[in-house]
Amino acid sequence: MLGLMQSQPLLISSLIEFAERHHGDAEIVSRRVEGDIHRYTYRDLSRRSKQLANVLDGMGLQFSDRVASLAWNGYRHMEMYFGVSGSGRVLHTINPRLHPDQIAWIVNHAEDQVLCFDTSFLPLVQAVHARCPSVKKWVALCDADKLPADSGIPGLVSYEAWIGGASSEYAWPVFDENSASSMCYTSGTTGNPKAALYSHRSTTLHAYAAALPDVMNLSARDSVLPVVPMFHVNAWGIPYSAPLTGCKLVFPGPALDGKSVYELIEAEGVTFAAGVPTVWQMLLNHVKAGGLKFSTLNRTVIGGSACPPAMIHAFQDEFGVSVLHAWGMTEMSPLGTLCTLKNKHLALPRDGQMKILQKQGRAIYGVDMKIVDSAGNELPWDGKSYGDLLVKGPWIVADYYRSEGGSPLVPDAQGRGWFPTGDVATIDADGFMQITDRSKDVIKSGGEWISSIDIENIAMAHPAIAMAACIGMPHPKWDERPIIAVALKPGAEVSREELLAFYEGKTAKWQVPDDVVFVDAIPIGATGKMLKAKLREQLKDYRLPGL
Ligand code: AMP
């Protein structure tokens, strides 16, 4: 017997329809590429998304055709999120920090037909446009009078001129909720990039989940700043969860330095912000250097790479801002786990709570996870056994777009497919997952594994260290031994011996790095993560002491 409830597909257009009707006057504030601040409301967003949808219909773009963006976080990008996906096309958000060759490759692979870009990316578009034959229309996300002259890009039009004449009346089409809505290529370090192709259903379910109290706890009373980019896994789903809750939205545009982000937080009464550790480090440095305080910010979600405990302490103890440590990946839309305490932990002393809050956290309903050994046997949730982390759920990829080769999923005894994350983790009896490492970054020393994240976290707690990366170096007896590469804070000093002494009592003796390498900067990739492959390349002539 079937239930007798209404059947309505879960479509992205329903999010903006809801926001227009119930939170029409809630604000969306954007710092623009031009540097000024732009303000409008969800009602305006809805109206202009419909204009964009009408323009795409008028061009004769078909259902599922790809429309690409090369853009910072801002209101026009947000209009693309709804106008493109809501009208049945697929939004392809391109990471502008990728190499131009990679960008040309993914535009061709996705067969993008329209590409809209912020004018700060004009040189990039000039470098790749001749290599992107599928693109019929190039659009600069700017006012008509700001259209770059003599750009050399055929038919370039400004976004405002492009959508300006279109009607803001539009009936969002209704279609299968499993239809593709957006896509994001992973910044894989080896091989060609691979695209996660999200659906309306996966995106809407993820938007619900992201707003839950033990996830981002978003509400109509919040002012939310996604520093995490809309070009990388849909800014962790915030552009979809925001209209679902009616929160105020604050977009930072291209200005991600500590000063600009701090000023925006204070000026717009931001209560909740999301970002990767490298960006938050810039914010903390600015706030500490100026002896500043946060007057409204009360929580921040940090993820994308391991959040050093020293950062959690600084936000919480010095500024009264709670840190929610989050873990996920492009293939997971991206949220998998968030770290919040359970009721029974409330009675624990502060230190005990902090130990838990450093972990990557508990699975969100909708994400199932397990850890397995090299033979695929499930490992116990004892907080000690570590193994490959596998996940499954309705917002996790089943396959990549136009993938070559077989399914990425690993079947279990019941034939259900699990996605191998490439991460190594422990899970404790309460279900808190802790990432030990990326499987390729784990240091294998004398048959034991050393977590590079643990070794980095200790160095990051030293006041002189701005950033630290631990990598394994070949060793004739132990296979590999860890070394720690560090970049110092401006003006700070620490000697090799002092830093190695700092490890005493903080980790087992055999896990202490064999050496310290001082570098000007740790290489950072397109999504703010450390590029250990590049660091290994830079240190290819390095030899461990005594070898
Ligand atoms: P991406 O798909 O580019 O966002 O990268 C996903 C990968 O980033 C994950 O598989 C992890 O290796 C890493 N990652 C994300 N969040 C965290 C976190 N909180 N702690 C440690 N690693 C993380």
Side-chain angles (χ1 to χ4, degrees):
M1 180 162 61
L2 292 178
L4 287 174
M5 307 308 283
Q6 297 180 15
S7 168
Q8 282 183 24
L10 299 172
L11 297 177
I12 286 173
S13 55
S14 67
L15 298 170
I16 189 66
E17 274 188 318
F18 175 82
E20 180 184 21
R21 205 162 157 76
H22 300 277
H23 302 283
D25 64 352
E27 261 192 310
I28 300 177
V29 180
S30 311
R31 191 194 294 279
R32 302 207 295 179
V33 171
E34 295 87 331
D36 61 343
I37 298 287
H38 172 276
R39 293 175 186 278
Y40 75 177
T41 62
Y42 281 108
R43 195 171 293 123
D44 301 317
L45 167 67
S46 170
R47 192 174 44 77
R48 284 168 51 93
S49 304
K50 289 176 176 175
Q51 286 182 286
L52 173 57
N54 273 319
V55 172
L56 299 176
D57 281 7
M59 282 180 70
L61 281 200
Q62 300 297 302
F63 189 70
S64 294
D65 277 349
R66 269 75 65 206
V67 175
S69 65
L70 252 176
W72 299 107
N73 293 7
Y75 65 103
R76 291 182 179 122
H77 205 174
M78 187 75 171
E79 290 160 16
M80 294 187 71
Y81 267 58
F82 294 96
V84 172
S85 304
S87 67
R89 282 90 194 190
V90 177
L91 177 68
H92 172 201
T93 52
I94 304 175
N95 186 337
R97 298 197 183 110
L98 296 176
H99 188 277
D101 290 348
Q102 272 178 315
I103 293 184
W105 190 90
I106 64 176
V107 168
N108 283 307
H109 190 258
E111 296 168 306
D112 296 329
Q113 303 223 20
V114 179
L115 195 151
C116 304
F117 61 96
D118 273 335
T119 49
S120 41
F121 302 124
L122 179 65
L124 198 48
V125 174
Q126 284 170 322
V128 300
H129 76 90
R131 287 185 270 163
C132 303
S134 61
V135 178
K136 305 200 267 231
K137 191 86 201 154
W138 299 91
V139 181
L141 291 164
C142 64
D143 292 336
D145 62 352
K146 298 276 175 357
L147 186 69
D150 307 324
S151 66
I153 298 162
L156 181 67
V157 62
S158 82
Y159 180 78
E160 294 305 326
W162 191 48
I163 69 160
S167 164
S168 54
E169 295 293 316
Y170 188 81
W172 296 111
V174 176
F175 42 78
D176 185 339
E177 64 182 15
N178 290 301
S179 307
S181 57
S182 68
M183 67 198 304
C184 183
Y185 282 77
T186 57
S187 42
T189 44
T190 52
N192 286 325
K194 291 184 259 183
L197 184 62
Y198 311 112
S199 70
H200 284 259
R201 175 183 158 81
S202 71
T203 304
T204 316
L205 290 175
H206 183 271
Y208 263 117
L212 283 170
D214 270 355
V215 187
M216 296 199 203
N217 192 16
L218 298 180
S219 81
R221 293 165 298 289
D222 275 312
S223 170
V224 174
L225 174 77
V227 177
V228 57
M230 289 165 80
F231 57 70
H232 183 56
V233 217
N234 303 324
W236 298 354
I238 291 174
Y240 304 113
S241 295
L244 177 147
T245 55
C247 64
K248 173 177 172 178
L249 256 181
V250 183
F251 287 127
L256 304 181
D257 61 286
K259 180 171 183 288
S260 306
V261 171
Y262 176 76
E263 284 170 3
L264 208 52
I265 289 175
E266 289 300 301
E268 300 303 330
V270 168
T271 53
F272 173 79
V276 296
T278 39
V279 171
W280 272 178
Q281 191 62 51
M282 294 195 282
L283 177 67
L284 275 182
N285 292 348
H286 173 75
V287 176
K288 281 186 186 175
L292 306 166
K293 291 254 167 299
F294 293 107
S295 31
T296 51
L297 188 70
N298 57 51
R299 63 199 198 283
T300 165
V301 59
I302 304 185
S305 44
C307 179
M311 182 173 282
I312 303 183
H313 273 292
F315 267 114
Q316 244 150 251
D317 303 340
E318 294 176 43
F319 300 104
V321 176
S322 316
V323 170
L324 303 163
H325 194 186
W327 167 83
M329 47 192 322
T330 307
E331 287 89 338
M332 300 176 69
S333 299
L335 294 176
T337 64
L338 255 285
C339 200
T340 54
L341 300 176
K342 290 183 170 178
N343 183 290
K344 66 178 177 185
H345 300 133
L346 297 179
L348 285 179
R350 182 103 181 95
D351 273 7
Q353 293 185 346
M354 279 304 291
K355 276 209 181 85
I356 298 171
L357 291 170
Q358 290 165 13
K359 299 188 175 195
Q360 276 72 6
R362 294 182 278 125
I364 305 166
Y365 168 75
V367 174
D368 204 359
M369 63 184 183
K370 64 177 181 180
I371 43 175
V372 299
D373 64 17
S374 51
N377 303 312
E378 189 162 353
L379 293 166
W381 290 21
D382 57 12
K384 289 193 217 72
S385 311
Y386 51 81
D388 294 319
L389 180 64
L390 273 62
V391 288
K392 68 179 178 64
W395 58 78
I396 295 166
V397 292
D399 204 347
Y400 293 101
Y401 174 64
R402 287 176 61 194
S403 71
E404 291 143 23
S407 160
L409 303 189
V410 179
D412 62 15
Q414 288 80 39
R416 296 171 306 187
W418 291 75
F419 178 76
T421 63
D423 289 324
V424 177
T426 60
I427 306 177
D428 69 18
D430 288 320
F432 285 80
M433 184 274 287
Q434 183 159 29
I435 300 279
T436 317
D437 230 324
R438 286 297 286 167
S439 50
K440 62 185 183 332
D441 292 336
V442 169
I443 294 144
K444 292 165 186 119
S445 176
E448 296 286 344
W449 285 13
I450 301 175
S451 153
S452 67
I453 295 177
D454 285 352
I455 304 305
E456 287 155 10
N457 281 344
I458 295 173
M460 288 297 288
H462 191 284
I465 305 298
M467 199 179 282
C470 175
I471 54 174
M473 283 290 170
H475 189 284
K477 179 167 176 200
W478 303 111
D479 242 353
E480 279 185 334
R481 286 296 301 153
I483 62 161
I484 187 95
V486 293
L488 299 183
K489 289 184 184 159
E493 278 180 30
V494 60
S495 69
R496 171 186 185 275
E497 286 64 34
E498 281 164 348
L499 190 59
L500 293 179
F502 189 68
Y503 278 88
E504 268 168 36
K506 298 190 177 76
T507 185
K509 252 201 164 93
W510 62 273
Q511 299 193 340
V512 175
D514 277 13
D515 200 5
V516 178
V517 176
F518 293 91
V519 292
D520 292 338
I522 306 286
I524 298 286
T527 55
K529 294 174 212 270
M530 292 192 280
L531 289 181
K532 292 202 178 169
K534 195 156 177 193
L535 183 65
R536 283 192 198 99
E537 172 63 25
Q538 283 172 7
L539 298 179
K540 64 179 187 306
D541 297 327
Y542 171 89
R543 294 286 168 273
L544 284 166
L547 293 185

